[in-house]
Amino acid sequence: MLVLLYCAPQLVVSGVIEPGPLFEIMVVFPTVVGVVASLIGAIAGAVALPRVVRAGQYATSAMAAGQIITCTIAFAIVLWAGYFATTGWELLMLPLALFIGQAVVAGGLVSRLRQLRRAA
C-alpha cells in the first residue's frame, strides 16, 4: 500500500515517478523486504512442495506456489526494468506482483487454518 500511495498519484499527474525524500521509505524498503521474504518462502516452499503434494496437503502447496509466483513475477519485472525504458510504471507493478502471489498464499493459509480447526 505504501508503494501505491507514493507512486499512483505521481503517475496519474505527470506519468513519471520522481524520487523524493520519502522514496526510500515508501518504495524501496517495503519492496525489498517483501521480495526477500517471498524469496525465502519460495525456497522453503520449493523444497517442501514434493512432500506436501504427495501428502495431499493442497493448502500448503498453494502457499508454496504463491511464494514462487511472487518471485517469478518480481524477477520478470526487474528484467523488464533492466532491458526496456523505465518510466516508473514498473515500480507500480512490483507491489502488484507481491500482491498477486501473496493473495494465493493467503488463500492457502486460510484453507489450512480451516482444515486444522475442523480436525480439532
Side-chain angles (χ1 to χ4, degrees), residues 37-53 57-72 101-109 112:
S38 293
L39 183 60
I40 292 168
I43 292 169
V47 169
L49 195 57
R51 181 176 43 92
V52 296
V53 169
Q57 297 174 344
Y58 298 112
T60 306
S61 60
M63 289 186 276
Q67 299 291 10
I68 293 168
I69 289 168
T70 298
C71 291
T72 303
Q102 296 309 304
V104 175
V105 172
L109 186 59
R112 182 69 178 142

Side-chain angles (χ1 to χ4, degrees), residues 12-34:
V12 170
V13 172
S14 67
V16 182
I17 296 174
E18 294 292 330
L22 296 176
F23 182 75
E24 291 84 12
I25 295 170
M26 302 276 291
V27 176
V28 176
F29 182 69
T31 303
V32 169
V33 169

